[in-house]
Amino acid sequence: MTLQNIIEKNIIATAVLAVFALLPAAAQHKYWVVFKDKPTAHAACVSPEAVRNRLAQGLPASQTTDWPVNETYVNRLRTTGGQVHTVSKWLNAAAATLDENQLAAVRKLPFVQEVTPIDARIRIAATA
C-alpha cells in the first residue's frame, strides 16, 4: 500500500465520520410530566410545627400538595427510557428529558394528565 493510498483512505474515513457527526441525534427535550392523582394512603408529610402554624392561621392541617408523588408513576416513567431530573409534590409532576419515541410512550401512560415542554434555557436542578 502506497502512502498515497493511505492518505486517501484516511481522508475518506475522516469525511465519513464528519458526516455522521453532523447528522442530528434523536432530539431530546425537557418536559414536566404531570400525573392525574396521588396515593391516598400516605404518611404525614409536614412537621408537627407546620401543622400547628397552619391551624393557627385557619388553614387546613393537610393538603394534597403535601402528599408525595406516586413512586409507581415515577418508576414507570423511568421505564420509558427517559431521564427523570426531579419530582415535585407541589406540581404532582416529574421533570424529565425525553426523545420523540419516549414522549409518545409517556403520553400514552394511563396516569399521565399532561406533558408540558420546559424552556431549554431553564436548568432543572435536583431537589433531593
Side-chain angles (χ1 to χ4, degrees), residues 46-123:
V46 294
S47 69
E49 182 180 3
V51 171
R52 282 192 301 277
N53 289 339
R54 286 178 178 183
L55 294 175
Q57 296 177 41
L59 300 171
S62 177
Q63 49 195 16
T64 58
T65 55
D66 298 331
W67 303 348
V69 173
N70 190 323
E71 272 304 310
T72 302
Y73 295 172
V74 177
N75 291 333
R76 290 272 310 276
L77 176 59
R78 286 188 175 107
T79 65
T80 66
Q83 179 187 1
V84 175
H85 298 283
T86 191
V87 177
S88 169
K89 66 180 183 178
W90 286 1
L91 299 175
N92 192 30
T97 299
L98 307 167
D99 65 24
E100 290 181 27
N101 293 331
Q102 295 162 342
L103 177 60
V106 166
R107 284 192 165 132
K108 291 179 184 174
L109 294 172
F111 52 83
V112 171
Q113 178 176 319
E114 68 179 295
V115 181
T116 306
I118 298 173
D119 188 316
R121 296 170 291 182
I122 295 175
R123 182 178 176 276

Side-chain angles (χ1 to χ4, degrees), residues 27-38:
Q28 291 191 325
H29 301 284
K30 292 181 235 173
Y31 299 91
W32 277 115
V33 179
V34 181
F35 305 121
K36 288 182 179 176
D37 55 21
K38 288 189 171 189

